Amino acid sequence: MVLKINIAQREAIGRHGARDYPSECCGVLLGSFRGEVKQVNEVVALKNLRHEVSHAQELLPVDDPARETERNRFLIDPLDQLRVEKDARARGLEVLGYYHSHPDHPARPSAYDREHAWPWYSYLIVSVERGVAKDLTCWTLAEDGGLFLPEPVEVVG
Ligand SMILES: [Zn+2]
């Protein structure tokens, strides 16, 4: 598969990453797919629930909430996710994947990212160095779910 996004969408993701720095930002990619192409039509910014530690602990408990902060984790509220999915479907769009930022870290998936990923979806990661958006990479789980593999991104004018 190849993920196609346009320059404005790529910039919107970078701006979201810069705005939420030094926290991680996250959002969803909506569009359509045909054959080997995932075409992004909309980029929707979501709230990183790790901002709200107690709520995040209820939804997805972690051993050490003080370390698992919004700076190195993101968590999408299932209610937000449901709302966006319903709204997308009503408009004939699919959820193609998700994006999030890596503040002061390379645009490579962490073990956490891989463990919390679902098959088929595209996972865009934007690195944000000292508040400035840099690299954008895309990843998808291998068929057997064991590995996160790079997925080509085509940025179209
Ligand atoms: Zn990550």
Side-chain angles (χ1 to χ4, degrees):
M1 291 281 229
V2 57
L3 186 82
K4 285 192 179 181
I5 68 172
N6 66 34
I7 290 170
Q9 290 157 350
R10 192 202 189 288
E11 282 174 355
I13 293 170
R15 272 201 309 276
H16 188 194
R19 193 168 67 234
D20 283 15
Y21 179 89
S23 296
E24 283 198 16
C25 75
C26 56
V28 60
L29 310 167
L30 302 179
S32 58
F33 61 94
R34 184 171 293 177
E36 291 297 298
V37 176
K38 292 174 183 163
Q39 176 70 55
V40 177
N41 293 110
E42 280 179 38
V43 168
V44 182
L46 294 176
K47 190 174 61 173
N48 182 357
L49 204 63
R50 287 272 171 227
H51 291 302
E52 297 162 31
V53 177
S54 60
H55 191 178
Q57 273 300 91
E58 279 170 34
L59 286 167
L60 188 66
V62 288
D63 294 338
D64 186 354
R67 278 193 59 212
E68 308 265 331
T69 67
E70 63 196 4
R71 293 184 67 124
N72 56 10
R73 295 286 185 267
F74 76 100
L75 178 63
I76 295 170
D77 189 328
L79 288 177
D80 266 357
Q81 193 164 347
L82 222 62
R83 180 179 50 75
V84 169
E85 275 175 26
K86 257 181 89 175
D87 172 66
R89 221 170 291 134
R91 292 182 296 123
L93 297 172
E94 304 277 346
V95 174
L96 299 178
Y98 298 88
Y99 71 87
H100 72 284
S101 62
H102 277 183
D104 295 323
H105 278 281
R108 296 181 166 282
S110 63
Y112 177 94
D113 292 339
R114 181 170 46 78
E115 283 157 17
H116 294 87
W118 295 291
W120 189 82
Y121 290 105
S122 301
Y123 291 90
L124 279 181
I125 302 177
V126 60
S127 63
V128 182
E129 286 171 32
R130 298 177 189 199
V132 180
K134 300 272 182 182
D135 301 327
L136 186 80
T137 59
C138 189
W139 306 81
T140 192
L141 276 185
E143 294 278 306
D144 65 6
L147 282 175
F148 235 166
L149 302 173
E151 186 174 60
V153 182
E154 205 177 301
V155 183
V156 289

